[in-house]
Amino acid sequence: MYSPAARAAGAPTKSSLPMFVQHPLFRPLAALAILLLIDLIMIPGFFHLEIKDGHLYGSLIDIANRAAPLILAAIGMTLVIATRGIDISVGATVAISGTVAAMLIGGTMVMNNGTPEYVANTPMWMALAAAMGAALLCGAWNGALVAGLGLQPIVATLILMVAGRGLAQLLTDGQIITVYYQPFFFFGSGYLFGLPFSLFIVAAVFIVTALLLRKTALGLFIQSVGINPVAARLAGLKTASLIFFVYVFCAACAGVAGLMITSNIKSADANNAGLLLELDAILAVTLGGTSLAGGKFSLAGSVIGALIIQTLTYTIYSLGLPPEVNMVVKSVVVFVICVSQSAEFKTMWRRAFPGARGGKTQ
Amino acid sequence: MTIISSAPAPVLELRGISKAFTGVQALNAVSLNLYPGEVHTLMGQNGAGKSTLIKVLTGVYTPDAGQIVLAGQSIQPQSTLDAQNHGISTVYQEVNLCPNLSVAENIFIGRYPRKLGRIDWSGMAKQATELLERMQIRIDVTLPLAHYPLAIQQMVAISRSLLVSAKVLILDEPTSSLDEKEVDLLFSVLRGLREQGMAILFVTHFLDQTYAISDRITVMRNGEREGEYLAADLSRVELVNKMVGAPAAANTGAPSAGAATQSGVDRAAAAGEGRFKAFLRAVGLGRKGALTPMDLEIREGELLGLAGLLGSGRTEAARLLFGADKADSGTITIDGKEQTFATPRDAIAAGIGFCSEDRKLEGAVLDLSVRENLILALQARSGMMRAIPLKRQQQLAEEYVKALGIKTASIETPIGSLSGGNQQKVLLARWLVTDPKLLILDEPTRGIDVRAKQEIMDYVSALCKKGMSILFISSELPEVLRVSDRIVVMRDRKAGGEYPRGALDETTVLHVIAAGDQHV
């Protein structure tokens, strides 16, 4: 039985723990640390980093690089979830933005005096703008359905989830479109100052979002709408515009992720690009400590959540476990982390072990 | 009350219950005895520890020390369900039933009668009807619960406790949302249950009701039991005295009969002479099914009272004025300019604030801090991009916490952990920081204790003197009569009449409500 009063009453039991344990990011960080510890013991050279051709190489870099699209999706998803919403069309938006970009760029290799040169069908900046435009349209569609027509978020975004991928496949005639245009590959596999360029994109999106939340009243407004939409409206908030905005924002993040993925695989695969990315994003948000009931959220938590998921995948593959095991192990880890975060479990734990306060799984 | 003298063994005993939260001793060695066939009222100001005591009793909290003894056996309820299985049933202020299920389903939820492995729907309906008839209520139990008014919903909640043959029935401020007729109905049901030997623990803020129903009164103050008295032996003056813990000669019948009232008289005289300019004028304002088109004028610096029973259209009128609901007829003119309020935002821009009657559902954003709740409306008005600097927010919050005497550990405490009266003060402050020209207060003092009530009303009166217009809505007639410069009486979703200060007394208002003495 959830009640704020009961929660407030629960708080003092925790006060005996050190400050850092009480921090909302403690659990996700601890989970990540445990995973990394396992890697340290089980995988030789896991933390080894080396510089090759001026680029930094190593497992850690690889994980961060591969997690980039998921982190982007998780950032967008965090804001949607904070307003009590959910967006299950992220994967479809990824496919649409990637397909639009790949189709417009396309690219052909032209032999010029014996040296190959790459020519794009459409100037790259226009292709990128069109791809992002398509993603924003997707978000506006979701936002209009949820905020304008008052559809339930899961149903509203289900429409695009089904239709979006179909639309992308129609655009490509069901074919995989390969891109032959070197500059475009920079997004997904380029390097800047020795680090993958994707990390810079992720950092930029994260910083801009965090600033937007901190320096404007957006964070306060999103939480208010998520916790008590009626009160928020009566206090004079434009609740509908806010909700519309978070879906557009989420789609924009998915759009960037789509460009990244397309650039990385050098082609637009309308069937598989970003497939089930929304579920991983929701998972990342949950692992980061943001409740699906909306309200209080943690952007940093979602980033850590995404890193947990990617590290887990990497660990399983590196340990040489068969791919079939991947799903099972992943689900077990997710189960453990989610259960340890549930209020009911914490109460049960405290009752079972009155000495061990706080309910942390040991 | 003859039952008391025979004094059988108590059915439920609380012995030395203590409970502390974050260093605050909410309960300190509190003892309480409940006897069968008796209504026992728990009185005390907000924060006196009543709610905590009830929560310990119903298994929501585990006490730090003390014992709960039910019929001679020590029990430790772990949850409300557990408490119920022990025979302790609770009915809360906010009815927590399922509005979309039928009355019968709500009564039998979790223990549907079965026949041949299937749910016996007709048997269930029959039993539910019988159960309610024992309480003199005859309704169609197959209709959804939401179909019935709140009072009936509460009776349904009570009937559930009959079903589990509870020995102890706890009613936590059940009358807060009921009008007088409904309270009478509730009390006749309670009297019936008392006859049947049920021990009833009744929590309320209303003195009248306390004396109407109680056999025994326990007064709590600052987490301690102040004393236990027979209702017949304790005068009102003494009771209030014990609750506030101060000599309370003036605190009984009409609190705050001092300066505020005097200035009110002056203002009323001024209003009569037409010295007050109209701030807001609504003509033919109405909405289908909610409010029959009515005219309303609110003058600058005036405290206009809207009197009437629950469902008389008071709240509906306020919501239309604030744009919370859209009017389908009529115009609103402010300072001579015609306005349309499609959303509360429009009304706020025009200088109106609105404290809703439903604090929890429409006011407080529970997980957010006192500071965030306090600046929310101001921030909404200045817009998302122009964030109020944190320093300024803290300054405002500190200022109003002090000015209104809000009891909170800090301004960063979540508002949900404050007591009702203090939450209400924060919400009042939310509007005060926006410096509104008109503040609509819908039941601002409902469900809060005597002292907080008086503090809020004194503060509001002072604001009025400074030129703010107030539209004051309350079910408590004496309060409306005391503070208002002018009173509009509402009945049956329309305006029943308008009266200057002093032209009305309680009997006349009741007469207007009952007979409909219309002259508007």
Side-chain angles (χ1 to χ4, degrees):
Chain A
M1 262 225 265
Y2 171 81
S3 96
R7 191 151 75 165
T13 8
K14 279 200 208 158
S15 64
S16 56
L17 291 165
M19 277 300 283
F20 72 91
V21 178
Q22 290 179 59
H23 195 277
L25 288 183
F26 174 74
R27 272 160 210 281
L29 277 174
L32 187 58
I34 291 170
L35 269 177
L36 291 175
L37 195 69
I38 293 172
D39 290 334
L40 176 70
I41 298 164
M42 306 289 287
I43 306 169
F46 180 78
F47 284 91
H48 180 73
L49 293 174
E50 60 179 339
I51 295 177
K52 271 190 219 158
D53 310 329
H55 300 159
L56 204 54
Y57 278 101
S59 306
L60 290 176
I61 300 294
D62 198 38
I63 289 174
N65 192 11
R66 282 176 192 281
L70 178 57
I71 295 176
L72 287 175
I75 289 174
M77 187 69 78
T78 307
L79 298 197
V80 171
I81 285 179
T83 63
R84 290 189 179 182
I86 200 146
D87 184 352
I88 55 170
S89 69
V90 167
T93 307
V94 162
I96 288 179
S97 103
T99 305
V100 169
M103 283 184 70
L104 291 180
I105 294 172
T108 35
M109 193 173 67
V110 180
M111 292 302 277
N112 199 353
N113 292 337
T115 47
E117 254 182 34
Y118 299 93
V119 182
N121 296 352
T122 319
M124 190 165 81
W125 69 268
M126 278 173 74
L128 297 184
M132 285 310 291
L136 292 178
L137 270 181
C138 291
W141 165 262
N142 284 337
L145 291 184
V146 177
L149 296 182
L151 291 193
Q152 284 185 0
I154 197 162
V155 177
T157 55
L158 178 68
I159 297 169
L160 188 63
M161 181 196 182
V162 176
R165 206 168 279 282
L167 200 68
Q169 286 171 11
L170 279 179
L171 284 175
T172 64
D173 267 341
Q175 305 294 311
I176 292 176
I177 295 182
T178 313
V179 181
Y180 302 97
Y181 184 60
Q182 203 69 38
F184 179 63
F185 302 152
F186 190 70
F187 285 98
S189 36
Y191 278 82
L192 189 66
F193 307 125
L195 286 171
F197 183 64
S198 59
L199 296 188
F200 290 91
I201 298 179
V202 166
V205 171
F206 179 78
I207 290 169
V208 167
T209 312
L211 282 179
L212 198 63
L213 291 169
R214 289 250 173 106
K215 295 292 170 190
T216 74
L218 183 64
L220 175 69
F221 287 2
I222 286 178
Q223 287 181 30
S224 303
V225 169
I227 297 168
N228 190 340
V230 181
R233 176 170 174 269
L234 286 181
L237 295 188
K238 294 188 219 166
T239 46
S241 317
L242 260 170
I243 291 172
F244 182 81
F245 168 79
V246 294
Y247 284 93
V248 173
F249 178 82
C250 183
C253 290
V256 178
L259 294 177
M260 211 180 257
I261 291 171
T262 307
S263 157
N264 198 293
I265 59 176
K266 300 182 170 59
S267 61
D269 181 353
N271 293 311
N272 295 311
L275 193 65
L276 299 184
L277 185 66
E278 54 272 348
L279 298 188
D280 273 347
I282 294 168
L283 188 57
V285 173
T286 317
L287 292 180
T290 300
S291 157
L292 283 180
K296 293 268 181 193
F297 63 90
S298 167
L299 209 58
S302 300
V303 174
I304 296 167
L307 288 173
I308 291 175
I309 294 173
Q310 192 57 45
T311 309
L312 186 62
T313 311
Y314 186 93
T315 307
I316 291 166
Y317 285 139
S318 303
L319 291 178
L321 296 171
E324 307 89 76
V325 180
N326 186 2
M327 292 295 199
V328 178
V329 175
K330 204 162 157 184
S331 62
V332 168
V333 171
V334 167
F335 172 77
V336 169
I337 295 176
C338 289
V339 162
S340 78
Q341 287 179 352
S342 100
E344 286 293 321
F345 177 79
K346 284 178 199 168
T347 320
M348 276 155 59
W349 183 273
R350 232 174 275 136
R351 282 208 178 122
F353 305 94
R357 314 188 106 181
K360 167 94 181 71
T361 35
Q362 305 293 312
Chain B
M1 263 168 250
T2 46
I3 312 148
I4 300 156
S5 54
S6 63
V11 57
L12 181 78
E13 281 177 81
L14 297 181
R15 292 181 191 154
I17 301 285
S18 293
K19 177 80 190 169
F21 301 123
T22 0
V24 178
Q25 194 71 34
L27 290 177
N28 190 6
V30 175
S31 298
L32 183 79
N33 293 327
L34 288 183
Y35 299 92
E38 201 176 285
V39 176
H40 192 137
T41 302
L42 194 56
M43 299 265 325
Q45 299 199 72
N46 278 345
K50 296 173 309 223
S51 310
T52 315
L53 190 67
I54 302 280
K55 284 184 176 157
V56 166
L57 191 47
T58 53
V60 179
Y61 296 154
T62 317
D64 299 336
Q67 223 183 352
I68 303 173
V69 181
L70 183 73
Q73 285 199 321
S74 178
I75 58 164
Q76 285 165 322
Q78 298 295 314
S79 66
T80 18
L81 183 67
D82 193 24
Q84 217 174 68
N85 291 339
H86 279 111
I88 303 172
S89 277
T90 316
V91 175
Y92 296 98
Q93 182 177 354
E94 291 93 7
V95 179
N96 36 6
L97 300 173
C98 309
N100 49 348
L101 294 185
S102 75
V103 170
E105 283 172 291
N106 267 294
I107 294 176
F108 284 92
I109 207 157
R111 46 174 75 83
Y112 288 160
R114 276 162 197 279
K115 204 162 146 189
L116 301 171
R118 285 180 306 167
I119 296 174
D120 178 13
W121 294 106
S122 59
M124 186 163 95
K126 198 159 153 260
Q127 282 187 55
T129 311
E130 284 168 10
L131 214 55
L132 286 170
E133 266 175 8
R134 266 169 68 190
M135 310 193 330
Q136 312 295 324
I137 295 162
R138 283 171 196 88
I139 55 171
D140 182 352
V141 295
T142 58
L143 289 178
L145 185 74
H147 183 80
Y148 294 103
L150 203 56
I152 296 292
Q153 297 188 19
Q154 250 162 359
M155 309 294 169
V156 171
I158 294 175
S159 70
R160 274 173 58 89
S161 61
L162 295 182
L163 184 69
V164 298
S165 51
K167 299 180 208 95
V168 177
L169 175 63
I170 302 168
L171 296 145
D172 192 0
E173 297 198 30
T175 55
S176 298
S177 347
L178 302 187
D179 65 30
E180 282 175 47
K181 260 197 202 135
E182 294 171 330
V183 170
D184 286 344
L185 180 63
L186 175 70
F187 281 5
S188 67
V189 166
L190 292 187
R191 289 192 190 99
L193 293 175
R194 175 168 66 184
E195 305 277 298
Q196 293 166 26
M198 180 95 80
I200 298 169
L201 181 61
F202 183 61
V203 183
T204 184
H205 281 111
F206 299 105
L207 291 183
D208 289 342
Q209 293 175 6
T210 304
Y211 282 99
I213 190 87
S214 313
D215 301 310
R216 202 181 284 268
I217 300 173
T218 287
V219 181
M220 290 191 64
R221 196 172 72 226
N222 295 331
E224 296 187 15
R225 191 185 76 156
E226 201 280 334
E228 183 186 301
Y229 311 91
L230 291 180
D233 298 349
L234 187 69
S235 77
R236 286 175 187 230
V237 187
E238 284 170 322
L239 174 56
V240 175
N241 203 345
K242 292 182 193 310
M243 279 166 62
V244 300
N251 256 344
T252 48
S256 175
T261 309
Q262 191 51 49
S263 68
V265 172
D266 297 342
R267 284 206 315 274
E273 290 159 23
R275 271 203 274 137
F276 285 158
K277 212 169 84 200
F279 166 70
L280 178 147
R281 188 172 279 144
V283 180
L285 190 67
R287 180 183 161 91
K288 243 195 180 135
L291 186 69
T292 315
M294 67 178 281
D295 300 343
L296 194 71
E297 185 183 274
I298 304 170
R299 297 164 193 157
E300 279 174 16
E302 175 193 47
L303 205 157
L304 176 66
L306 267 192
L309 301 178
L310 201 79
S312 62
R314 310 174 306 202
T315 299
E316 290 77 359
R319 290 180 63 90
L320 292 184
L321 285 176
F322 188 62
D325 295 325
K326 224 170 169 178
D328 49 21
S329 74
T331 55
I332 296 174
T333 316
I334 288 179
D335 278 337
K337 262 184 283 174
E338 200 174 306
Q339 307 263 3
T340 3
F341 297 153
T343 63
R345 220 179 141 69
D346 301 335
I348 293 166
I352 303 179
F354 173 59
C355 266
S356 159
E357 61 174 334
D358 197 329
R359 193 164 56 226
K360 209 160 107 189
L361 227 61
E362 302 187 340
V365 184
L366 287 178
D367 289 347
L368 292 188
S369 68
V370 168
R371 168 179 61 79
E372 288 167 316
N373 268 285
L374 203 142
I375 57 109
L376 190 60
L378 182 66
Q379 180 67 72
R381 197 181 61 184
S382 54
M384 190 189 96
M385 296 312 289
R386 306 221 322 259
I388 304 168
L390 187 61
K391 272 249 171 65
R392 176 81 188 125
Q393 295 185 18
Q394 288 165 340
Q395 194 189 335
L396 282 171
E398 296 285 3
E399 189 184 319
Y400 277 92
V401 163
K402 213 168 130 198
L404 292 171
I406 298 168
K407 286 194 193 72
T408 172
S410 91
I411 55 169
E412 301 303 332
T413 311
I415 193 173
S417 52
L418 269 58
S419 73
N422 285 309
Q423 287 185 18
Q424 187 66 44
K425 286 178 179 174
V426 174
L427 298 179
L428 180 64
R430 173 189 289 175
W431 293 109
L432 295 180
V433 294
T434 66
D435 195 18
K437 297 198 197 91
L438 166 64
L439 186 55
I440 303 171
L441 300 172
D442 193 358
E443 298 274 13
T445 57
R446 181 160 87 190
I448 67 178
D449 71 276
V450 182
R451 180 172 279 177
K453 210 176 246 188
Q454 191 171 326
E455 281 169 357
I456 287 180
M457 287 323 294
D458 285 351
Y459 202 87
V460 166
S461 296
L463 289 171
C464 226
K465 255 203 301 195
K466 286 186 196 153
M468 189 186 289
S469 311
I470 309 270
L471 181 64
F472 177 61
I473 302 172
S474 173
S475 303
E476 289 179 55
L477 273 182
E479 203 173 45
V480 179
L481 291 170
R482 195 179 73 246
V483 299
S484 308
D485 297 324
R486 218 158 37 97
I487 295 168
V488 171
V489 182
M490 307 276 304
R491 56 171 209 100
D492 297 335
R493 306 195 179 279
K494 59 186 175 217
E498 186 187 312
Y499 305 88
R501 182 188 187 80
L504 277 183
D505 56 33
E506 219 168 314
T507 340
T508 334
V509 176
L510 288 173
H511 178 77
V512 173
I513 290 167
D517 179 23
Q518 288 183 55
H519 57 245
V520 165

